[in-house]
Amino acid sequence: MLMNRTKGDEEEYWNSSKFKAFTFDDEDDELSQLKESKRAVNSLRDFVDDEDDDDLERVSWSGEPVGSISWSIKETAGNSGSSQEGREQLKSRNSFSTYAQLPKPASTYSLSSFFRGRTRPGSFQSLSDALSDVPPKSYAPELGRPKGEYRDYSNDWSPSDTVRRLRKGKVCSLERFRSLQDKLQLLEEAVSMHDGNVITAVLIFLKRTLSKEILFRELEVRQVALRHLIHFLKEIGDQKLLLDLFRFLDRTEELALSHYREHLTIQDPEKRKEFLKTCIGLPFSAEDSAHIQDHYTLLERQIIIEANDRHLESAGQTEIFRKHPRKASILNMPLVTTLFYSCFYHYTEAEGTFSSPVNLKKTFKIPDKQYVLTALAARAKLRAWHDVDALFTTKNWLGYTKKRAPIGFHRVVEILHKNSAPVQILQEYVNLVEDVDTKLNLATKFKCHDVVIDTCRDLKDRQQLLAYRSKVDKGSAEEEKIDAILNSSQIRWKN
């Protein structure tokens, strides 16, 4: 079509067209192209129905939706220079991606500012409007940060405001409090709030920024804060600082107890034993000193017993270790556990050996009730009923034997039943229960029929005996015994 035109027509075409022909004489070629593109984009609005504006997604030359957060940040991030600087930036680039670097009007708008100048709700601002009236300098907009947040960064919070914000769980820097007076005021505000978490947070800050001497001196007259610090140091296991604090406060007993707690961190038994030996001379109370001595002696015994029993078990020549292999080491076990272990594996040993139960009882002054209860549980577990019987049998000076239980025979019955003792043994010990109601309840619970029948006969309680008759098996020996008692003419029944 152009081939048929005259030279004049061609010149008129090029001069009148909105698309200029390329010449080396053109200045600011990219800027002129940008202006032409702007007009072309604006002209597209004539082809778009206003009714569909809400359904269209505006996309910038960088490919991102107009009005998105990433678009707004990119649009405004580099616009602190003058319009001349923006012009020089345009010259240094060779693509339309420079469009996103054009300066924007200065404002403190949010994302909604990109939709100003609508002719009606839902319509967008034209591209030409957005590029017009460029001021000499602009700033990036603030995106959704509340004004109250800025005060954290300006470091103008007072101690009272800071404590209140900490109590609400908000992040707040304490570094601005540099003088000792400010730090102490911050601590006093925290204490006045009666919030342990806030007090601890301030104490951590003071611990990090003050010397030990100053910190201890100031806390000595602030007992609430002092107690929080002591608790905090115990929780985090800072034994060194805790010892220094107790030493400063001249709390000798607490200092000794804190030093004693360090044994928990020592795993090697020999090293723990040696550490406990150093604790014996510390200034404990009389009662605590006795416990420390017992702890050292017990661990010393356990080390000896463990070495000997490990050897016997590995040799495989001892019957008790073959039938009942050990499930755990005895090292560092409590005294009662050690006594149970000794009653289980070393019950018959002579008193002179370290592993003898009687030796442990005398060395550590174990009460009779505790010893009998532990020995009963150990021997009943092994079903050593002869040892159980001997445990409760005593002789008087005339040689007469009598059964006596410092823990009460009702507890003996419970333990025996728990370890599946035969009915004959249960009945023997149920009969030894002195309280009649307790005896009947235990006998009924554990089906000791003879005890129930004999007790009802002795009480001459015909109704209770008749009621129990319905609980035994028909045709059994117990039913026959009940019938014989009910038919006896020698008993005068109460009811």
Side-chain angles (χ1 to χ4, degrees):
M1 179 177 179
L2 292 174
M3 297 296 294
N4 298 328
R5 292 183 178 178
T6 65
K7 183 177 180 181
D9 294 336
E10 291 179 2
E11 291 179 354
E12 182 181 357
Y13 171 80
W14 288 113
N15 291 330
S16 63
S17 174
K18 61 184 175 181
F19 299 105
K20 300 291 184 179
F22 173 79
T23 64
F24 288 100
D25 297 330
D26 288 341
E27 295 182 357
D28 300 333
D29 182 59
E30 288 185 342
L31 183 60
S32 62
Q33 290 183 26
L34 185 60
K35 291 181 179 179
E36 293 294 339
S37 299
K38 176 190 68 174
R39 286 194 292 268
V41 171
N42 289 335
S43 66
L44 292 176
R45 301 182 70 227
D46 297 335
F47 299 98
V48 179
D49 188 2
D50 288 343
E51 297 298 329
D52 299 327
D53 279 355
D54 292 337
D55 299 325
L56 295 178
E57 184 181 46
R58 269 58 177 178
V59 179
S60 70
W61 293 111
S62 62
E64 296 173 343
V66 174
S68 67
I69 294 178
S70 61
W71 179 82
S72 63
I73 293 175
K74 288 183 179 181
E75 286 287 295
T76 57
N79 297 334
S80 60
S82 64
S83 61
Q84 180 63 29
E85 291 173 351
R87 187 182 181 92
E88 290 175 0
Q89 291 175 359
L90 284 173
K91 288 183 178 181
S92 65
R93 299 178 182 264
N94 294 320
S95 68
F96 282 107
S97 63
T98 58
Y99 175 76
Q101 302 297 330
L102 285 177
K104 294 292 181 293
S107 68
T108 57
Y109 57 83
S110 65
L111 291 178
S112 61
S113 65
F114 289 102
F115 300 93
R116 292 181 303 174
R118 299 179 181 177
T119 56
R120 62 172 188 80
S123 64
F124 288 86
Q125 180 185 11
S126 68
L127 192 58
S128 60
D129 293 338
L131 294 171
S132 63
D133 299 329
V134 177
K137 190 173 184 180
S138 61
Y139 300 91
E142 297 297 334
L143 300 178
R145 180 182 295 161
K147 289 184 177 180
E149 297 293 332
Y150 291 112
R151 297 186 67 186
D152 283 344
Y153 299 98
S154 60
N155 291 331
D156 61 349
W157 289 108
S158 66
S160 178
D161 292 336
T162 301
V163 168
R164 279 196 293 270
R165 288 181 63 80
L166 287 174
R167 189 178 186 184
K168 293 178 181 178
K170 295 185 178 181
V171 177
C172 192
S173 174
L174 304 181
E175 300 300 327
R176 67 173 300 270
F177 300 101
R178 297 183 179 180
S179 68
L180 178 60
Q181 182 180 359
D182 288 344
K183 292 176 181 179
L184 294 179
Q185 186 179 355
L186 183 67
L187 178 61
E188 290 171 356
E189 290 288 345
V191 172
S192 66
M193 283 287 183
H194 305 289
D195 190 310
N197 291 333
V198 177
I199 296 173
T200 302
V202 174
L203 286 172
I204 292 173
F205 170 66
L206 298 184
K207 172 178 172 288
R208 182 169 54 84
T209 57
L210 294 178
S211 65
K212 290 190 299 184
E213 293 74 14
I214 296 176
L215 178 63
F216 295 165
R217 183 191 68 204
E218 296 299 336
L219 292 182
E220 188 176 12
V221 295
R222 296 171 174 84
Q223 290 298 311
V224 174
L226 178 62
R227 289 195 296 271
H228 276 79
L229 180 63
I230 292 174
H231 178 75
F232 173 71
L233 294 177
K234 289 180 179 179
E235 287 293 318
I236 65 174
D238 193 343
Q239 288 295 117
K240 186 178 183 303
L241 187 60
L242 191 60
L243 290 173
D244 291 341
L245 176 58
F246 286 144
R247 194 174 292 111
F248 176 86
L249 298 172
D250 197 26
R251 297 185 181 181
T252 56
E253 188 173 343
E254 289 183 77
L255 176 64
L257 288 173
S258 181
H259 179 72
Y260 168 71
R261 281 173 57 90
E262 290 187 28
H263 83 274
L264 297 173
T265 63
I266 304 174
Q267 300 300 323
D268 183 78
E270 288 290 346
K271 292 182 179 179
R272 180 179 285 197
K273 184 188 75 171
E274 293 303 319
F275 179 82
L276 289 173
K277 190 175 182 179
T278 64
C279 296
I280 293 176
L282 294 178
F284 293 102
S285 64
E287 183 179 1
D288 288 339
S289 294
H291 289 319
I292 300 299
Q293 180 66 58
D294 286 345
H295 191 174
Y296 169 76
T297 305
L298 178 61
L299 182 56
E300 187 180 37
R301 294 283 186 93
Q302 289 175 342
I303 292 174
I304 297 173
I305 296 171
E306 176 66 21
N308 183 64
D309 288 0
R310 190 187 298 114
H311 173 71
L312 293 175
E313 188 175 28
S314 61
Q317 298 179 356
T318 307
E319 183 180 3
I320 185 67
F321 289 111
R322 289 201 310 269
K323 289 184 176 180
H324 305 280
R326 300 189 310 156
K327 296 181 179 180
S329 169
I330 193 62
L331 294 175
N332 300 316
M333 292 296 177
L335 176 59
V336 174
T337 305
T338 306
L339 178 61
F340 180 91
Y341 177 93
S342 181
C343 291
F344 194 92
Y345 288 106
H346 304 281
Y347 190 69
T348 59
E349 289 187 6
E351 183 180 336
T353 61
F354 284 144
S355 54
S356 166
V358 178
N359 187 301
L360 289 172
K361 179 178 183 294
K362 289 186 176 181
T363 301
F364 297 101
K365 299 179 176 60
I366 300 175
D368 287 342
K369 288 184 178 181
Q370 183 66 68
Y371 177 81
V372 170
L373 191 63
T374 306
L376 172 62
R379 303 318 291 174
K381 191 174 184 66
L382 287 170
R383 303 179 66 82
W385 308 123
H386 177 74
D387 293 336
V388 171
D389 185 71
L391 189 63
F392 301 106
T393 302
T394 60
K395 289 184 179 181
N396 60 16
W397 62 281
L398 294 175
Y400 292 104
T401 60
K402 182 181 179 180
K403 291 189 181 296
R404 185 179 66 88
I407 60 175
F409 282 110
H410 62 285
R411 296 192 67 184
V412 175
V413 173
E414 295 281 356
I415 294 172
L416 291 176
H417 177 265
K418 183 179 180 181
N419 288 278
S420 304
V423 176
Q424 294 79 5
I425 294 177
L426 281 177
Q427 288 188 152
E428 179 183 356
Y429 287 95
V430 169
N431 266 323
L432 294 173
V433 177
E434 294 182 359
D435 184 76
V436 177
D437 292 334
T438 303
K439 181 192 296 186
L440 280 174
N441 289 335
L442 290 173
T444 304
K445 179 180 179 180
F446 301 132
K447 297 182 179 180
C448 299
H449 302 305
D450 288 341
V451 176
V452 176
I453 295 170
D454 293 342
T455 303
C456 290
R457 181 198 60 194
D458 295 341
L459 293 174
K460 299 179 182 181
D461 192 337
R462 182 183 181 87
Q463 295 300 325
Q464 190 168 357
L465 190 59
L466 285 171
Y468 192 74
R469 184 179 184 277
S470 62
K471 297 180 181 179
V472 301
D473 296 333
K474 291 185 177 181
S476 62
E478 290 78 14
E479 186 181 49
E480 293 178 359
K481 184 177 180 178
I482 292 174
D483 290 340
I485 294 174
L486 291 174
N487 295 327
S488 175
S489 59
Q490 299 180 355
I491 302 175
R492 298 182 62 181
W493 302 101
K494 293 181 179 180
N495 46 30

